[in-house]
Amino acid sequence: VLLALQIDSRRAARDLRRFGGGDEGACAVLLREMEKLARKLSTSDVTVFGLLQPRQYAEVIRDSFDPFGHQGRARAALGDEQREGVDPALLGPYAEEAGWSWYRTDSAVHATYWVSAMPRSEVGPTFLAPLLMQSSVVRTVSVTIEPIPFSAAMRKAEVASTQDIAEEMSRRDQGVLTTASDRRQQEAVARREEELSAGFAEMRFAPFVTVSAVPTELDQAKGEIEHAAQLARLELQPMYGEQEAGFANTLPLCRGLR
């Protein structure tokens, strides 16, 4: 499990200046925030092994483009610590080709899906097990998460609450009954405002799934992953015409929200 962290330079402008600005200041702020995040994860009983070094980070990205070449690269590095990982200058694909519903790089062809809907009913903490742990298909599951500033989240919640009140009054004046669906929406808006007031954070998130296989086995691999997603109550939408961009969203680059 890899966790990538990205900082908005506009929101962190004050801290960047305090650490000297430029690339050096940005790296200092990023390292500080990553250390904070690692400590919080550790207190939640999540084992953090540490930051990836440049060659390790390059290896992760290189293995995504060339998953079936990993063993060969690992054998070549045996007994030579200087060759462990991948040269950052060589982390990209050596060759690539994008199609309407696939993206081919080096040893594999990939198909990327956007998770268009999460479970609509209560699920347990292991609901993703069919997708994450019960398949032999090479796949990457990525979720990009962005925290929304409290002021913006609260403002949106208050606007939604005001709209609900206005719509309820309008229905009452027109003699229209409030349906069960309307009541559920009102309860959700009220619960959201209460949670924000209690200190909970609001997040934007974008999940993606990439399936990787040799060209002759891609259709079979896609079918297996689509079935696993159904068992996890996820709705997958193939990213037709945007496979190259979709694949990039499953790399540890914090992409996918824009």
Side-chain angles (χ1 to χ4, degrees), residues 58-239:
E59 181 180 27
V60 168
I61 297 180
R62 180 76 189 118
D63 287 349
S64 298
F65 285 112
D66 185 25
F68 304 112
H70 172 76
Q71 291 185 348
R73 289 188 293 274
R75 285 195 297 267
L78 287 175
D80 187 352
E81 294 184 356
Q82 294 184 349
R83 294 188 63 183
E84 290 182 357
V86 169
D87 183 346
L90 303 176
L91 59 80
Y94 293 160
E96 60 181 342
E97 181 182 7
W100 184 250
S101 60
W102 49 266
Y103 176 53
R104 185 170 184 175
T105 61
D106 298 353
S107 64
V109 59
H110 319 274
T112 299
Y113 301 85
W114 167 51
V115 181
S116 58
M118 301 294 281
R120 300 179 185 276
S121 57
E122 293 291 335
V123 294
T126 61
F127 78 97
L128 285 177
L131 183 61
L132 297 179
M133 304 180 67
Q134 298 174 10
S135 174
S136 60
V137 172
V138 177
R139 72 277 188 203
T140 302
V141 180
S142 170
V143 181
T144 303
I145 303 172
E146 178 184 24
I148 298 177
F150 173 78
S151 58
M154 181 57 78
R155 185 164 55 250
K156 288 172 59 180
E158 291 172 348
V159 169
S161 180
T162 301
Q163 289 177 343
D164 277 350
I165 293 173
E167 290 174 1
E168 177 69 21
M169 294 175 63
S170 176
R171 283 193 294 267
R172 189 180 307 162
D173 292 341
Q174 297 175 17
V176 178
L177 293 176
T178 299
T179 65
S181 177
D182 293 330
R183 286 193 293 271
R184 282 197 298 270
Q185 179 181 335
Q186 292 170 355
E187 291 169 0
V189 170
R191 184 169 59 250
R192 174 186 175 193
E193 190 173 4
E194 290 174 1
E195 289 175 348
L196 288 171
S197 299
F200 287 86
E202 184 173 359
M203 304 287 181
R204 292 177 62 224
F205 63 94
F208 300 89
V209 179
T210 288
V211 181
S212 302
V214 296
T216 57
E217 298 177 1
L218 180 62
D219 288 341
Q220 178 181 346
K222 287 169 60 177
E224 185 172 335
I225 288 301
E226 288 170 3
H227 177 63
Q230 290 175 352
L231 294 177
R233 302 184 185 179
L234 303 177
E235 294 182 15
L236 299 185
Q237 174 62 49
M239 297 189 66

